[in-house]
Amino acid sequence: MRTGEPHFAARKRTQRTPGGPSGAVARGVFIVGAAALGAALVAASAGLPAFGHFHGRYGVMLNLVAVAQRHVTDVVSAVNFDYRGIDTLGEEFILFAASSGVVLILREVRGNRQAEVTAAGRAPGPPSGAGEPSRSRGGRDGSGGGDAVRGAALLSAPLVLAVGVEVATHGQVDPGGGFQGGALIATAVVMVYLSGEVTRFRRAARPGLSEPLEALGAGAFVVVGLAGVLGAGLFLANLVPLGPVGAIDSGGTIAVLNAVVGLEVAGGLTVTAVEYVEQSLLAGSGGGAQGSEGRDAEGRDGSGGGDAGGSEGDTPGESSP
Amino acid sequence: MVALGATAVVASRDPRRQAAVVSIYGMLLAVLFFTLGAPDVGLSQLVVGTVLVPALVVLALAKVQHSSR
């Protein structure tokens, strides 16, 4: 313990003189290190094979056999959902665990906050945005965005949704697949929020819908895999007719797995986004569900008024008109 | 272009601006993937790097800025 003390003191002293010799030394070390790293990177990339000349054997092999074996025209999908399907199962559960963790942490925090607000005698009525400077926090809360943002989001949400479904269901034919499609579907849901339709966003993204979808998608992957074990003795063995090459019903389990991964990703990302958005709505309006209605009606003042909200829960008399 | 974008991400100090710059950078990277013939990776990069990561950063910033006040 005693040996640590002078060390600590020395560090404190260097912090107090930022422009001193230690700063110059640090800069010198950085320049030497950056130069060495840059030289190493240049030397390493000089040794790379030329573009398009992949040396591995498996890539070439898969390109030869994938279309014949699985009737898919997107070999990447064949790798992800058949040849290395077990890896994708793991990745799917990474997302599942991550979104579950976000929900666990944020929902507990929000529960505490809401209990606080109700204990403080209910937040006062609609926040008055007049007294609060807007603090240049644009983009903090989408529902407070300008008309251009709302219009663009409103226009593109259905398009993004359609593209998402298309990408998720055509992974066996075209580039893309369940993951990309699912992420696009979740993006469309968030766009509904950006367009200012908080009530509709809540309805489209209600946990009662997105959580079962996420769980269903995650579980169905395992079920498809176990069905392979039962039917053919191999995990993820294909039991579904392969269909004609290039058709939407081609690929057998690959198409099925793309669809369930699409559900899982769309549900998982929606759940995550909803938790974050509910956080910022709570931060903005001070009182859970009914606060957002006031924000919605207030329109663009919502961003300014919302800022006052958090402190309102603690000091109710301050901003009520 | 991609290298310039990456430098811009590092150079911007305000986290909110960084989220916007990283989104543009993600789109440049996705275009690079597409032109190099990797549309699957490009699509993933587009939805994750251009949309999801910046969106989560902005939402998290909103939360952090609120609770620090």
Side-chain angles (χ1 to χ4, degrees):
Chain A
M1 295 302 116
R2 190 160 295 174
T3 50
E5 276 174 17
H7 208 76
F8 183 61
R11 206 173 59 190
K12 262 178 120 177
R13 211 177 303 129
T14 56
Q15 275 178 351
R16 240 176 289 159
T17 58
S22 66
V25 171
R27 204 167 295 133
V29 170
F30 168 74
I31 289 172
V32 171
L37 179 67
L41 283 177
V42 169
S45 52
L48 286 175
F51 185 75
H53 293 80
F54 178 60
H55 288 323
R57 257 177 301 165
Y58 294 109
V60 180
M61 207 186 292
L62 282 172
N63 276 336
L64 291 175
V65 301
V67 177
Q69 278 187 342
R70 294 307 310 255
H71 291 207
V72 293
T73 46
D74 184 16
V75 181
V76 178
S77 282
V79 173
N80 281 341
F81 293 99
D82 184 37
Y83 299 110
R84 300 303 299 268
I86 193 99
D87 290 7
T88 305
L89 179 64
E91 283 169 26
E92 195 192 34
F93 274 88
I94 290 176
L95 180 65
F96 188 76
S99 69
S100 304
V102 168
V103 168
L104 266 178
I105 295 172
L106 292 187
R107 220 168 256 176
E108 168 145 11
V109 171
R110 192 163 78 238
N112 291 345
R113 282 289 310 276
Q114 269 166 348
E116 246 170 60
V117 169
T118 39
R122 211 76 187 177
S128 66
E132 184 74 11
S134 61
R135 270 180 225 247
S136 73
R137 292 179 57 180
R140 166 195 156 274
D141 186 330
S143 67
D147 287 340
V149 173
R150 288 170 169 229
L154 206 59
L155 273 178
S156 45
L159 292 176
V160 172
L161 182 66
V163 172
V165 173
E166 197 274 342
V167 168
T169 51
H170 288 69
Q172 65 279 13
V173 191
D174 294 324
F179 177 73
Q180 293 93 331
L184 280 169
I185 294 170
T187 305
V189 175
V190 175
M191 276 178 165
V192 175
Y193 167 70
L194 284 182
S195 66
E197 303 275 354
V198 177
T199 321
R200 290 209 177 122
F201 167 72
R202 280 218 166 93
R203 209 185 310 146
R206 61 183 182 277
L209 181 66
S210 52
E211 281 172 5
L213 283 184
E214 181 189 13
L216 180 74
F221 200 118
V222 182
V223 169
V224 170
L226 290 179
V229 175
L230 292 178
L234 281 173
F235 193 71
L236 285 176
N238 185 47
L239 296 173
V240 186
L242 286 174
V245 176
I248 190 170
D249 58 343
S250 65
T253 47
I254 293 179
V256 177
L257 290 178
N258 264 313
V260 301
V261 168
L263 279 184
E264 202 278 335
V265 173
L269 291 178
T270 304
V271 166
T272 310
V274 167
E275 289 305 322
Y276 275 98
V277 166
E278 293 289 339
Q279 281 290 315
S280 61
L281 282 182
L282 182 72
S285 58
Q290 118 268 41
S292 78
E293 306 291 333
R295 159 184 299 279
D296 205 1
E298 269 194 23
R300 280 189 297 175
D301 293 334
S303 149
D307 280 345
S311 52
E312 255 172 21
D314 306 324
T315 57
E318 188 184 78
S319 64
S320 56
Chain B
M1 280 279 272
V2 173
L4 279 181
T7 314
V9 173
V10 178
S12 54
R13 309 271 19 133
D14 176 24
R16 244 180 308 133
R17 191 163 300 160
Q18 233 164 12
V21 178
V22 87
S23 173
I24 298 168
Y25 166 66
M27 203 182 297
L28 287 174
L29 203 58
V31 170
L32 180 72
F33 287 148
F34 274 105
T35 54
L36 290 184
D40 283 273
V41 189
L43 270 175
S44 304
Q45 168 63 29
L46 200 62
V47 289
V48 175
T50 310
V51 180
L52 286 172
V53 169
L56 286 186
V57 167
V58 168
L59 285 170
L61 277 176
K63 171 70 185 154
V64 169
Q65 286 180 346
H66 170 75
S67 53
S68 68
R69 250 182 307 130

